Amino acid sequence: MNTTSSRPLLLTMGDACGIGPEIAVAAWAADRGADLRLVGDAGVFRRALGFMGLDLPVAVLDQCDDVAPPDCLPVWQPSGLPTDLLDQPLGQVSAQAGAAAARCIIAAVHEQQAGRSRALVTAPIHKEALHAGGIDHPGHTELLQALCADAQGRLPPVRMMLANDELRVVLVTIHVALRQAVDLITTGRVLQTLRITDEALRRAGVAAPRIGVAGLNPHAGEGGLFGDEEIHHIAPAIEQARSLGIDARGPFAPDTVFMRARHAPPAHPGEFDAVVAMTHDQGLIPVKYLGVEQGVNVTLGLPLVRTSPDHGTAFDIAGSGRADPASMAAAIRMARTMSA
């Protein structure tokens, strides 16, 4: 195949022992977009089609931007994948599956860096499998950050945004212990998060982003009574962001700011276009409570576009055909918007 299309969106396989391949093929089948290519093992994707009750041929592409025949699942299989992925038990941690997931991510990033794709949509990986596969990064975000280091080895400042139709949340800290996260709440880091958030929202089409900022402590510290991070770090960062023209407000009590930001018109138009949360669980619990089916994880701050579904590998239902591709479909739509 040597007829190339415009730069495609690449959908990585995720953990072959989880539901990643199933939601990838189901999302493709529902979408059939000419801009979509799946990255991973062709045999794993053929098996996933069977699990999801889809009778479709698989076209193995020589290059990620090749065009598949009509109604064929377009799969680009990068070199270096383990050869025994189909032998790994579904629903269990596998070093081979972890290594394969990482290889797909690395290959897809290289294609985007080379200008042969325009966005990356990643199916769920399993952190324990990734580690067993020899990858010394705790998750997608950190691996992508390392892959995007500059020539001097400096890492780009990245942030995680979780979004659905009602709420967007950006995190100041991500995959660190809670004790460590508190120490990472500094004026510089909060300000950097506000700048990254404002830029990302503008890129996504929000002309004048309104950003609500959650405090770290109960009642946002209650004037220092319950903690002083708001006084010494968070409020100064907000003030500096406002001096740069960023409409940041707060810090607000974290137990109410997400309700204030929730956009559910006509009865409840949100006060903010996004909330900056201080820690992983503080920010992700309210988004996931609204439903993981439409949630999208976006990595902000990278020199490339990356989105993913808002759920994990779901080992308990892998191979059952019950995986819901809605969040993967939402991630595809978000990637298209951000890379347009």
Side-chain angles (χ1 to χ4, degrees):
M1 300 175 190
N2 51 23
T3 302
T4 58
S5 68
S6 59
R7 295 186 303 154
L9 274 71
L10 301 183
L11 279 62
T12 60
M13 176 176 67
D15 193 298
C17 297
I19 64 168
E22 295 167 62
I23 61 172
V25 300
W28 180 89
D31 187 289
R32 307 280 176 126
D35 59 341
L36 300 180
R37 306 289 187 277
L38 279 68
V39 181
D41 183 86
V44 169
F45 284 128
R46 287 191 186 96
R47 181 177 67 181
L49 286 168
F51 290 153
M52 300 302 286
L54 297 168
D55 185 14
L56 293 168
V58 173
V60 180
L61 310 178
D62 294 327
Q63 305 293 332
C64 78
D65 53 357
D66 284 348
V67 177
D71 296 321
C72 289
L73 186 76
V75 174
W76 177 58
Q77 186 168 287
S79 61
L81 293 178
T83 59
D84 57 349
L85 284 176
L86 290 175
D87 297 329
Q88 306 307 307
L90 290 169
Q92 296 184 29
V93 172
S94 160
Q96 289 90 330
R103 177 64 194 136
C104 291
I105 297 163
I106 293 167
V109 168
H110 288 166
E111 293 301 299
Q112 196 163 347
Q113 290 170 330
R116 289 185 288 270
S117 75
R118 77 172 195 268
L120 173 64
V121 183
T122 61
I125 60 175
H126 194 282
K127 292 177 175 60
E128 188 177 344
L130 198 69
H131 182 74
I135 304 301
D136 191 23
H137 296 286
H140 266 123
T141 303
E142 295 83 0
L143 175 57
L144 290 165
Q145 185 183 34
L147 292 171
C148 293
D150 65 16
Q152 287 73 44
R154 292 173 298 201
L155 301 177
V158 299
R159 297 294 187 272
M160 177 190 291
M161 178 172 76
L162 213 61
N164 56 32
D165 291 338
E166 298 181 60
L167 185 62
R168 300 184 186 99
V169 175
V170 182
L171 306 179
V172 175
T173 63
I174 307 177
H175 296 127
V176 295
L178 187 56
R179 289 181 185 275
Q180 184 182 355
V182 172
D183 292 335
L184 292 174
I185 306 301
T186 64
T187 301
R189 190 175 182 88
V190 175
L191 176 61
Q192 188 177 63
T193 306
L194 290 168
R195 298 180 71 166
I196 290 171
T197 302
D198 182 73
E199 179 184 347
L201 291 174
R202 292 179 186 277
R203 196 183 320 124
V206 181
R210 304 163 301 163
I211 304 172
V213 183
L216 173 68
N217 299 296
H219 302 189
E222 197 72 74
L225 186 63
F226 304 141
D228 59 8
E229 286 81 7
E230 288 79 9
I231 296 171
H232 294 305
H233 300 294
I234 302 173
I238 294 170
E239 184 177 348
Q240 290 182 38
R242 292 184 66 84
S243 73
L244 297 173
I246 297 171
D247 185 2
R249 312 174 200 177
F252 299 111
D255 59 352
T256 57
V257 66
F258 301 101
M259 292 185 288
R260 294 173 59 178
R262 183 185 179 193
H263 185 65
H268 194 285
E271 293 182 44
F272 311 114
D273 298 298
V275 175
V276 165
M278 296 300 117
T279 65
H280 182 279
D281 287 4
Q282 181 195 63
L284 299 197
I285 288 172
V287 183
K288 293 190 175 187
Y289 180 78
L290 292 174
V292 299
E293 296 82 7
Q294 295 297 328
V296 178
N297 180 3
V298 185
T299 304
L300 306 182
L302 293 172
L304 49 82
V305 174
R306 178 261 173 165
T307 68
S308 73
D310 172 26
H311 58 71
T313 52
F315 276 173
D316 57 322
I317 62 169
S320 70
R322 293 186 286 123
D324 186 347
S327 186
M328 174 63 89
I332 292 170
R333 292 193 298 270
M334 179 79 75
R336 284 190 176 123
T337 297
M338 296 187 70
S339 64

